[in-house]
Amino acid sequence: MTTYRLSFFLRAAIATSGLMLAAAPGWANHRAGWFPLPEVIAVGDFNEDGNLDMAVINTGFDNLSILLGDGKGGFKLEGIVQADTLPKDIQIADLNGDGHLDLVVSSSWGYDVQVLLGDGHGGFSPSKQIYGDEPWGIAIGDYNEDGHPDLAVSFNGAKTISYYSGDGSGQFTASPVAYTLSSGPGYVIAADLNHDKHLDLATVENINRLEVLLEMAPEASPRSPQL
């Protein structure tokens, strides 16, 4: 369940040549199809056949392509899932505890974050929308340590990272905890950065700065060292 972000150079190549696995000595290219301005790829076993599949953000058409893998490096288009205007990030987790992988997609100019619940067969249906000023990056983790996945979303326009507590059914709090930054944040990652067994957050800001939020939890104020 890894998300890969593509560089500008690779995006340009994909837009003109189709989606391929990167070429290297001993590797073979496998074209998976043609997509309008693909930008971000998330990988997981969406149809639960033991093979990795891909969800690809197509910025040009404001949608997602769901590609099912055959376990040999080949992929076929299973379906198209509509996103909102200018999708930016996609993350994968089982958000409602049914054993199937779900998707979370941010759309910057749509001003929303969509929760798409998976059916275990490669299909996804909308469940929840979160609204804010230019949402960008998404990090899924159990920030309040209650056993349910939560969301951390960076809002570039609002210059904040907001924490949404999940209830384990695919629903998230309507009153998030927001942390204000000095400029607009982009993509965000979650990891235990200081070995205290609590998830922390890191994001990059528009002013070319890396911002680290330690001990990200609703009941605690994060420290914000600037690296």
Side-chain angles (χ1 to χ4, degrees), residues 155-156 158-160 180-185 204-209:
F155 290 94
N156 191 270
K159 300 179 183 178
T160 61
T180 301
L181 306 176
S182 54
S183 68
V204 289
E205 296 184 67
N206 290 344
I207 55 176
N208 300 324
R209 179 168 61 192

Side-chain angles (χ1 to χ4, degrees), residues 1 42-49 51-56 65-68 90 92 100-103 118-124:
M1 295 185 288
V43 178
D45 185 6
F46 303 137
N47 62 347
E48 301 168 11
D49 64 351
N51 301 321
L52 289 177
D53 312 308
M54 294 192 294
V56 182
S65 296
I66 306 301
L67 306 172
L68 299 185
I90 181 171
I92 301 173
H100 307 316
L101 290 179
D102 310 309
L103 304 177
D119 61 11
H121 301 287
F124 296 90

Side-chain angles (χ1 to χ4, degrees), residues 13 43 112 129 136 167 175 189 207:
V43 178
D112 64 12
Q129 282 184 302
W136 201 285
D167 64 4
S175 301
I189 63 167
I207 55 176

Side-chain angles (χ1 to χ4, degrees), residues 131-146:
Y131 298 95
D133 191 357
E134 295 186 36
W136 201 285
I138 304 165
I140 301 174
D142 184 8
Y143 301 113
N144 60 355
E145 300 170 5
D146 65 350

Side-chain angles (χ1 to χ4, degrees), residues 5-6 10 24 53 64 87-88 93 100 106 111 132 161 165 208 212:
R5 295 186 178 88
L6 311 180
L10 183 54
D53 312 308
L64 314 173
K88 281 294 182 182
H100 307 316
S106 63
Y111 300 96
I161 291 181
S165 176
N208 300 324
V212 177

Side-chain angles (χ1 to χ4, degrees), residues 4-42:
Y4 301 94
R5 295 186 178 88
L6 311 180
S7 68
F8 175 80
F9 175 79
L10 183 54
R11 289 202 302 268
I14 287 176
T16 57
S17 303
L19 181 63
M20 303 182 288
L21 299 182
W27 293 12
N29 286 335
H30 296 268
R31 297 194 180 207
W34 301 86
F35 309 100
L37 295 178
E39 190 163 338
V40 179
I41 302 172

